[in-house]
Amino acid sequence: MELDEDSGAAAPAMQMTGYAGTSAPAPEAAELPLTAGAAAAEDCATMDETAGPVLETVAEREAGQVAGQTAAHAAERANAGSGFVAGELGASATYTAQFLKYKQLAERGSADAQNILGFMFATGQDVPQDYKLAVEWYRRAAAQGLARAQYNLGVMFQKGQGVVQNFAQAAFCYRKAAEQGYIAAQYNLGWMYAKGQGVAQDNVQTFHWFNKAAQQGDAAAQNNLGMMFYSGKGVTQDVELAVQWFRKAAEQGYAKAQFTLGLRYDYGQGVEQDRQQAVEWFRKAAELGNAQAQFNLGLKYENGTDLPQDAQKAMFWYRKAGEQGHASAQFNLGL
């Protein structure tokens, strides 16, 4: 199982409440190497499929691959406390009253207010951005055991904002929040074990923490859990179980899981082969912007495989994928 190195360096967004939006995919399809002449043409007439499962990175998870927030995300947001709504501090007078309100509550020891002040300073939400002050307020709230603040402090350590970058400290903070059931922290801790970032690389621990988040309905974690069952890393290989987890994520509108589920139906891996189901899942993922699914849909239209042959629709989907940099789609477009 390979990790997605392209976007793994980026760290997650902070959370005043729950999610700042999630992100993440099913096994990233390995791009076919383009060679000269006939070999290249043959490559570009081949389905874009998964050569090896690739875990969803923290950055991809934050990028918003899920079409709509899941119930689990909404539940975390609902636990924010203090009634703060991002953007409600628009006017200067309102800002002053609101800021003083939270500062007063924070100085009296309210962990929720301390976390909110940290979030405001970290993001520059109607106050001058100041990472050091953000860390100071997050520390106070985290010391009181507030999971959101522990998570946010972990983000600061992972990014090196307001503090010297320290992956071990980030993992420590994530663990504190994860042990309280905080989904984003469980996901990020799982990712750190997958990468060996701040902790010893450990596939079993990776599986453990992704499983915790997946059981709470996190689509990105469900997708990664499917990959781990598919590859047999950190758990006994079980392609049928992998498909079950891909389906859970796909049904939440998770584009890469939809793409992967389409592949499994197309090849009859872990599920009875059903090419029409494959087309439907490819289409769902393609409509959400997944380049691999767009390419595969274009290929099916071009060849008349499982769909009526239609050159215009083939070009439409190739163009969609090509605009995202999909090399094989660009080749088929003659670019």
Side-chain angles (χ1 to χ4, degrees), residues 164-193:
V164 176
Q165 189 176 48
N166 188 325
F167 293 140
Q169 192 64 38
F172 176 83
C173 293
Y174 288 150
R175 186 183 307 279
K176 288 288 188 182
E179 288 172 348
Q180 296 190 63
Y182 200 76
I183 299 172
Q186 292 171 338
Y187 184 94
N188 290 1
L189 186 57
W191 177 252
M192 295 189 87
Y193 272 113

Side-chain angles (χ1 to χ4, degrees), residues 69-89:
Q69 297 295 323
T70 65
H73 304 163
E76 280 195 348
R77 288 199 307 277
N79 291 328
S82 300
F84 178 87
V85 177
E88 88 177 14
L89 307 182

Side-chain angles (χ1 to χ4, degrees), residues 150-212:
Q150 292 167 341
Y151 168 82
N152 286 341
L153 190 57
V155 171
M156 301 299 278
F157 275 111
Q158 190 172 3
K159 288 185 173 182
Q161 293 178 334
V163 290
V164 176
Q165 189 176 48
N166 188 325
F167 293 140
Q169 192 64 38
F172 176 83
C173 293
Y174 288 150
R175 186 183 307 279
K176 288 288 188 182
E179 288 172 348
Q180 296 190 63
Y182 200 76
I183 299 172
Q186 292 171 338
Y187 184 94
N188 290 1
L189 186 57
W191 177 252
M192 295 189 87
Y193 272 113
K195 290 287 288 181
Q197 194 176 74
V199 293
Q201 198 281 334
D202 189 328
N203 289 329
V204 174
Q205 282 294 309
T206 298
F207 178 86
H208 172 79
W209 289 109
F210 282 155
N211 184 52
K212 290 279 190 184

Side-chain angles (χ1 to χ4, degrees), residues 43-309:
D43 279 343
C44 292
T46 303
M47 288 279 284
D48 190 347
E49 59 179 292
T50 302
V54 178
L55 286 180
E56 167 76 327
T57 67
V58 170
E60 288 173 322
R61 181 175 185 275
E62 293 292 333
Q65 290 291 323
V66 179
Q69 297 295 323
T70 65
H73 304 163
E76 280 195 348
R77 288 199 307 277
N79 291 328
S82 300
F84 178 87
V85 177
E88 88 177 14
L89 307 182
S92 176
T94 305
Y95 153 70
T96 302
Q98 291 287 344
F99 178 77
L100 290 177
K101 168 190 170 183
Y102 290 118
K103 191 170 187 293
Q104 192 173 56
L105 288 170
E107 288 173 345
R108 289 177 181 173
S110 167
D112 279 316
Q114 291 166 351
N115 181 66
I116 286 171
L117 285 183
F119 179 86
M120 291 171 67
F121 281 117
T123 60
Q125 177 70 49
D126 295 306
V127 295
Q129 191 173 53
D130 189 323
Y131 290 140
K132 289 187 177 180
L133 277 177
V135 168
E136 178 183 333
W137 287 111
Y138 284 150
R139 283 187 191 275
R140 293 191 189 190
Q144 295 193 64
L146 186 69
R148 292 183 300 283
Q150 292 167 341
Y151 168 82
N152 286 341
L153 190 57
V155 171
M156 301 299 278
F157 275 111
Q158 190 172 3
K159 288 185 173 182
Q161 293 178 334
V163 290
V164 176
Q165 189 176 48
N166 188 325
F167 293 140
Q169 192 64 38
F172 176 83
C173 293
Y174 288 150
R175 186 183 307 279
K176 288 288 188 182
E179 288 172 348
Q180 296 190 63
Y182 200 76
I183 299 172
Q186 292 171 338
Y187 184 94
N188 290 1
L189 186 57
W191 177 252
M192 295 189 87
Y193 272 113
K195 290 287 288 181
Q197 194 176 74
V199 293
Q201 198 281 334
D202 189 328
N203 289 329
V204 174
Q205 282 294 309
T206 298
F207 178 86
H208 172 79
W209 289 109
F210 282 155
N211 184 52
K212 290 279 190 184
Q215 295 291 349
Q216 293 196 70
D218 184 81
Q222 290 170 343
N223 181 68
N224 280 0
L225 208 60
M227 294 178 206
M228 297 193 78
F229 275 116
Y230 184 82
S231 64
K233 289 292 182 72
V235 66
T236 302
Q237 187 176 36
D238 189 325
V239 179
E240 289 185 4
L241 265 180
V243 168
Q244 289 180 31
W245 284 109
F246 290 142
R247 188 183 307 280
K248 285 179 184 290
E251 288 174 349
Q252 294 195 66
Y254 205 71
K256 282 203 170 183
Q258 293 172 338
F259 163 68
T260 306
L261 190 56
L263 286 176
R264 303 288 75 80
Y265 272 114
D266 215 43
Y267 295 109
Q269 296 171 332
V271 67
E272 185 176 348
Q273 189 176 44
D274 187 331
R275 294 283 178 79
Q276 290 308 309
Q277 278 290 309
V279 168
E280 288 307 307
W281 286 112
F282 285 152
R283 190 180 304 280
K284 287 177 185 290
E287 288 172 351
L288 288 174
N290 182 274
Q292 288 86 5
Q294 290 168 345
F295 174 80
N296 285 359
L297 209 53
L299 194 64
K300 284 181 177 290
Y301 274 119
E302 182 180 12
N303 295 333
T305 306
D306 311 316
L307 283 169
Q309 194 168 34

